[in-house]
Amino acid sequence: ELNHRIHTAEGFALGARRFCAGLAKKVLLANAVGALWEECLAAQGAGTLTVVGGWMGLFAFGFQIYFDFSGYSDMAIGLGQMFGFRFPENFDYPYLASSVTEFWRRWHMSLTSWFREYLYIPLGGNRGGTVRTLRNILIVWFCTGFWHGASWNFVLWGLYFALWLILEKYVFRGLLERTPGWVKHVYTILVVFVGWGIFAMEDLDVC
């Protein structure tokens, strides 16, 4: 694209609009929801936290990290488009997913595809039988957790999602196919937001 990019006034305008939308996500939504997260959960100890406050905090953190990260992605995509570059989409309405597997096809798609293409597939992917597939999933998600930071909560977060992906692949598949859509959506949201709680707690003693 450095050699063959196409720069137009229309593309610049579309890119500027995308950049402004991402900036609004970050400034107007992520920062405001982040304040709720700090109030409801992060600033409170385990002994003073209520059930309602805990869930409010988890949902606040989940939406903060989404608006923050997808906002940055929109800004990067828009900025690139302003100068004639086409960057791939990074988020595809992940909170509308009906399974944990689908969620990870929609969330941070650039990182997910990188781990799939450069780690999961070279390890053998789902070829070579169930045991190797399980091994590969665990390795990939251990590395995914460790990629986010050198703290045990990130490793635990990665293995937590590895477990749910394994369950969906080998245990829940038939059940999920027969389950009503709204139930699958609620199940996915609960699993994902509990995962965000693990992700956020760098001091695991708080949990």
Side-chain angles (χ1 to χ4, degrees):
E1 290 192 2
L2 286 171
N3 296 324
H4 303 289
R5 64 190 178 93
I6 300 174
H7 181 236
T8 65
E10 181 183 6
F12 189 93
L14 291 173
R17 185 170 66 181
R18 182 71 178 266
F19 180 89
C20 290
L23 184 63
K25 279 184 181 180
K26 166 60 182 168
V27 175
L28 300 179
L29 296 176
N31 290 356
V33 176
L36 178 61
W37 149 252
E38 295 292 338
E39 179 69 24
C40 289
L41 190 60
Q44 299 187 44
T48 61
L49 188 64
T50 65
V51 173
V52 174
W55 279 106
M56 284 181 63
L58 282 180
F59 276 91
F61 179 76
F63 281 103
Q64 178 200 12
I65 198 171
Y66 169 71
F67 288 128
D68 191 86
F69 202 1
S70 68
Y72 281 135
S73 296
D74 287 341
M75 291 166 70
I77 292 170
L79 191 61
Q81 191 173 6
M82 290 165 66
F83 294 98
F85 296 101
R86 301 289 178 177
F87 296 155
E89 295 293 335
N90 207 24
F91 290 87
D92 182 22
Y93 304 100
Y95 289 147
L96 297 181
S98 295
S99 69
V100 178
T101 303
E102 183 186 352
F103 174 82
W104 284 109
R105 294 195 187 110
R106 292 169 172 258
W107 178 279
H108 201 348
M109 296 185 289
S110 58
L111 181 66
T112 303
S113 63
W114 191 94
F115 273 108
R116 182 181 64 249
E117 294 174 14
Y118 292 99
L119 188 58
Y120 183 67
I121 293 176
L123 284 170
N126 55 8
R127 304 183 303 276
T130 302
V131 174
R132 285 195 175 185
T133 301
L134 293 174
R135 180 205 65 179
N136 295 342
I137 293 173
L138 289 171
I139 290 174
V140 167
W141 281 94
F142 174 87
C143 293
T144 301
F146 191 69
W147 181 88
H148 282 85
S151 178
W152 283 112
N153 69 301
F154 295 122
V155 174
L156 181 60
W157 172 82
L159 295 177
Y160 167 84
F161 276 108
L163 174 62
W164 283 104
L165 292 170
I166 289 170
L167 288 173
E168 287 191 355
K169 186 176 182 66
Y170 292 103
V171 180
F172 297 157
R173 177 182 294 179
L175 178 62
L176 286 174
E177 291 175 354
R178 300 190 301 270
T179 302
W182 70 269
V183 176
K184 291 190 290 187
H185 181 65
V186 170
Y187 143 77
T188 302
I189 290 297
L190 290 176
V191 170
V192 167
F193 277 85
V194 170
W196 289 140
I198 300 171
F199 187 90
M201 295 292 106
E202 295 190 31
D203 181 3
L204 292 178
D205 291 335
V206 176
C207 299

